Amino acid sequence: MERKTLIYNARLVDEATDMKDAGILISGEKIEKILTGEDAAAILRAMDLDKADLSAGTDVFDARGQVVMPAFIDMHAHFRDPGLTQKEDLESGSRAAAAGGFGTLVLMPNTSPVISSQEAAEGNNRRGAGLGLADLFQSVSITRDFGGKDISHLESLDRTVVPLITEDGHEVLDSSVMYEAMKIAARKGIIVSCHCEDPFLAAAARPIRMAALEELEKGKREDAARLLAKADNLLRLAEDVATDRNIRLAAAAGCHLHLCHVSTKHCLEAAVRAKKAGQDLSLEVTPHHIGLTGESMPGIFNIVNPPLRAQEDRQALAEALISGDADVIATDHAPHTLQDKKGGSPGFSGLETAFAVCYTNLVMGSGMNLQALSSRMSAQPARLLSLADRGLIKAGYRADLAVVDTNHVWTVLGGDFLSRGKFSPWEGKSLTGRVTATLHGGRKVPPVTEP
């Protein structure tokens, strides 16, 4: 007999639904039925009358009035496995994902060695599935081993196994190579995800940025501010020119272009223009780019690529997510060791704070409704990845669910993270909204934080 799970006393929220005093009946891994409060109460009464029958095969979960949403889907996460597992591995990353309410993640290929084949990607997917915590889709590099030239491995990819290719953390410098790779992806229906950054401009900015941080450590804030502005101008240009190039190449190739971690107003406007002109294009925004600015968070521990931008950029990104011009929220979860962060390694651990940062800054801070937030974190990425059975709360869909307490105010302490990367730019800060339980395929998965 297939095990059933009854969730009751819940507020159900997805892209199309906001239903209070409701429930969900789950059979095995699938949602069987959406219940009103009365429906759920009737099932509970029947269970109480005949405990030997119904309750023996049914788990009961009282949501205590909390919000139940489709589990989140992250199109951009780094699990560092294989080869860099001192930063993160599949198990620690999957546990962090479960703690953050994520049920499906696309992993970046900048591991050691670089993931440059479907066989290697399938290996990570299988290992992830064996953990039973989340579904992992390992992406593959655009050029073999990030070498910048060889794209022969792309011909053997199956989009149902590898839905996305990327040179994340790098840029394919040779436009003719990128164009040919995009044409292969277009023919196969594979998404080309671009980390848009001119590496020469980025390299020119790096010593200036490090010099600025040294001045900041000495207390010379004016000198630091001047150097940071110079570095930021170069890094802004690096993202802008690479984005413009990749949009043009993708339009010519006819592929689906996905722009990673868009952070400047210029890139946002260029992407929106291309979409409105009919180009097959999507874009993601990270929680840290909508919650922080470079002016408010200088310092070596707050280095991230692309960098935290100006308030004008942050506001434009938030508005684009609210309006739907920006398609998805993706974490760019990038865990590092403390030693690496002290050395200036870019990136933050973001899975365990993503919902709270977005709820605090977008819903509470900017007037976004919870349905729209669910769309950007669940339904939209599910559509982009052609995952027809998740992203919504509907009968027949996978019972991948996140239970969130939208009234819970908590203080971020990186030492409590399940990720191996303990650094967060929100360390010691208060956020509102916390994931209290995650269900993956109808089963509550660890860890669970009791409300």
Side-chain angles (χ1 to χ4, degrees):
M1 180 179 176
E2 199 165 44
R3 174 159 289 279
K4 293 183 182 289
T5 301
L6 172 67
I7 300 173
Y8 70 101
N9 191 19
R11 176 186 172 192
L12 306 184
V13 175
D14 68 9
E15 178 185 74
T17 304
D18 189 343
M19 181 191 298
K20 293 182 180 179
D21 189 24
I24 304 172
L25 185 62
I26 299 167
S27 292
E29 295 186 348
K30 302 284 186 179
I31 295 173
E32 179 180 324
K33 188 178 181 181
I34 308 303
L35 306 168
T36 66
E38 278 302 310
D39 292 335
I43 293 174
L44 285 168
R45 285 194 298 271
M47 290 173 60
D48 193 51
L49 289 170
D50 193 355
K51 292 180 180 177
D53 258 345
L54 286 169
S55 62
T58 305
D59 292 325
V60 179
F61 179 65
D62 182 356
R64 308 185 204 180
Q66 296 177 100
V67 177
V68 178
M69 305 173 74
F72 312 130
I73 298 173
D74 193 356
M75 290 187 65
H76 191 152
H78 300 264
F79 277 12
R80 314 296 193 192
D81 193 340
L84 302 168
T85 53
Q86 73 277 11
K87 298 172 184 277
E88 194 81 286
D89 61 22
L90 296 188
E91 182 172 357
S92 64
S94 294
R95 289 189 177 277
F102 288 88
T104 304
L105 304 97
V106 177
L107 305 184
M108 297 297 102
N110 56 337
T111 52
S112 182
V114 176
I115 303 289
S116 294
S117 70
Q118 180 161 309
E119 180 183 16
E122 286 180 305
N124 267 5
N125 294 349
R126 282 194 301 269
R127 288 171 57 213
L131 296 170
L133 297 168
D135 288 335
L136 307 181
F137 287 90
Q138 176 64 64
S139 65
V140 164
S141 63
I142 295 173
T143 67
R144 190 180 300 278
D145 299 324
F146 291 161
K149 294 294 182 183
D150 184 2
I151 57 173
S152 59
H153 60 291
L154 301 181
E155 291 288 0
S156 62
L157 299 184
D158 178 348
R159 69 180 295 272
T160 64
V161 178
V162 181
L164 182 150
I165 57 174
T166 181
E167 210 86 339
D168 188 69
H170 300 75
E171 185 65 89
V172 180
L173 287 178
D174 189 325
S175 292
S176 66
V177 173
M178 185 60 133
Y179 179 53
E180 292 302 320
M182 286 178 165
K183 288 197 293 185
I184 296 171
R187 191 171 71 247
K188 289 178 164 288
I190 294 172
I191 297 169
V192 179
S193 181
C194 285
H195 174 117
C196 297
E197 184 179 68
D198 181 288
F200 300 110
L201 288 167
R206 193 169 297 117
I208 300 171
R209 182 159 63 170
M210 296 304 292
L213 296 175
E214 288 176 8
E215 294 300 298
L216 195 63
E217 288 290 317
K218 297 173 186 175
K220 298 179 179 179
R221 300 191 69 83
E222 289 186 8
D223 290 341
R226 176 178 52 80
L227 289 168
L228 281 173
K230 185 177 179 181
D232 287 348
N233 285 336
L234 286 170
L235 291 167
R236 178 180 296 275
L237 194 59
E239 183 176 350
D240 291 350
V241 298
T243 298
D244 291 339
R245 182 202 76 151
N246 288 330
I247 289 174
R248 290 289 302 275
L249 289 174
C255 73
H256 181 127
L257 176 67
H258 181 75
L259 297 175
C260 294
H261 41 49
V262 171
S263 72
T264 74
K265 189 176 180 182
H266 171 91
C267 293
L268 174 63
E269 291 172 346
V272 171
R273 280 196 304 272
K275 289 204 312 181
K276 289 182 176 177
Q279 186 167 346
D280 190 7
L281 182 150
S282 56
L283 65 111
E284 70 185 35
V285 177
T286 73
H288 49 270
H289 284 115
I290 59 169
L292 301 168
T293 64
E295 296 99 321
S296 64
M297 296 292 291
I300 195 164
F301 280 93
N302 296 310
I303 290 178
V304 63
N305 284 338
L308 302 175
R309 302 294 189 185
Q311 173 63 16
E312 180 186 25
D313 301 296
R314 190 206 68 78
Q315 186 63 39
L317 295 172
E319 290 172 358
L321 283 168
I322 293 168
S323 70
D325 283 341
D327 301 273
V328 301
I329 294 167
T331 68
D332 193 12
H333 174 75
H336 292 289
T337 64
L338 178 61
Q339 182 178 359
D340 288 339
K341 286 303 294 179
K342 285 180 177 179
S345 292
F348 313 135
S349 295
L351 288 169
E352 294 166 77
T353 55
F355 175 80
V357 170
C358 293
Y359 186 81
T360 301
N361 287 277
L362 292 174
V363 177
M364 295 181 63
S366 300
M368 185 184 211
N369 66 51
L370 203 50
Q371 288 174 261
L373 181 57
S374 179
S375 176
R376 311 301 179 259
M377 294 188 76
S378 302
Q380 284 280 68
R383 278 192 284 271
L384 291 174
L385 295 168
S386 299
L387 302 175
D389 65 344
R390 63 197 82 180
L392 296 171
I393 299 177
K394 291 178 66 174
Y397 273 54
R398 272 277 298 271
D400 287 359
L401 303 166
V403 183
V404 298
D405 183 347
T406 56
N407 296 314
H408 189 105
V409 180
W410 59 289
T411 300
V412 178
L413 297 173
D416 293 340
F417 285 175
L418 293 175
S419 169
R420 289 186 176 173
K422 305 299 182 182
F423 178 76
S424 169
W426 283 278
E427 179 74 25
K429 293 180 171 58
S430 292
L431 297 172
T432 301
R434 191 156 199 183
V435 175
T436 60
T438 302
L439 280 75
H440 185 63
R443 186 177 59 85
K444 195 185 291 188
V445 294
V448 177
T449 303
E450 292 299 333

